[in-house]
Amino acid sequence: MSAVTLRPMRWPDVVSVHAIETEVFDVDPWSAEQFWGELAQPTREYVVAEDDGVIVGYAGAYLLPPDSDVQTIAVSPSAQGRGVGRLLLEELIAIAVRHDCAQLLLEVRSDNESAIAMYERFGFEQISKRRDYYASGVDALIMRLRPLPSMPERGES
């Protein structure tokens, strides 16, 4: 894998992003129209991760200071395990900090052990649970990062 770069999501990216969405989320994936709707909202920011010009992941946040929420984060199965999710989450945290948010919330499937482990490494704590939210026996864990760390700009040491 070459160096993965991040940039803001643009309208033409929705086709590639939606392809990853349907590959990663086999139950109730977002439609292309939902992504277009999200990009049109002034309270949302979305980024894509590119590897050699190919979109391999995406993430978005809802920003209404002092609060922020991870709307979605996904990495193409072909790029998983390479740190792309970490880069995307770091960028969402940095975006929330730039918007003067005090906390970042997210929900994650209780059976998504790798995502939960990543969030915990960043300091997210479980604050609530929605029982059987995704399916019978699959809860939604509500996690929060507070306070938000100060994040250096990308490219700084």
Side-chain angles (χ1 to χ4, degrees):
M1 179 172 84
S2 60
V4 172
T5 58
L6 301 180
R7 64 166 174 79
M9 186 187 297
R10 299 184 299 253
W11 296 101
D13 299 328
V14 169
V15 172
S16 297
V17 164
H18 186 253
I20 294 170
E21 173 81 4
T22 57
E23 190 175 13
V24 171
F25 300 111
D26 55 348
V27 176
D28 200 25
W30 285 12
S31 68
E33 291 79 11
Q34 284 173 291
F35 281 105
W36 288 322
E38 285 290 296
L39 289 176
Q41 296 296 320
T43 56
R44 310 293 199 276
E45 276 198 42
Y46 280 78
V47 295
V48 294
E50 288 184 321
D51 182 9
D52 201 23
V54 175
I55 294 174
V56 295
Y58 59 90
Y62 169 79
L63 304 148
L64 191 61
D67 296 320
S68 57
D69 292 286
V70 173
Q71 294 293 95
T72 188
I73 186 167
V75 176
S76 171
S78 65
Q80 290 178 3
R82 300 179 185 174
V84 177
R86 177 186 51 78
L87 288 173
L88 288 165
L89 184 56
E90 285 174 350
E91 183 64 11
L92 291 184
I93 294 168
I95 289 168
V97 168
R98 285 194 301 271
H99 283 266
D100 295 321
C101 294
Q103 66 181 359
L104 182 60
L105 297 164
L106 61 82
E107 72 181 33
V108 60
R109 288 176 62 105
S110 59
D111 60 355
N112 191 341
E113 295 175 11
S114 62
I116 293 167
M118 179 180 72
Y119 298 139
E120 288 174 342
R121 282 192 302 275
F122 274 84
F124 282 84
E125 298 176 311
Q126 181 182 331
I127 60 169
S128 187
K129 181 187 298 188
R130 293 186 181 128
R131 297 214 179 274
D132 299 329
Y133 183 79
Y134 291 104
S136 180
V138 184
D139 304 329
L141 305 182
I142 311 304
M143 301 182 79
R144 176 179 62 199
L145 179 62
R146 184 178 71 185
L148 295 179
S150 59
M151 301 288 290
E153 291 297 317
R154 271 187 285 151
E156 289 183 13
S157 303

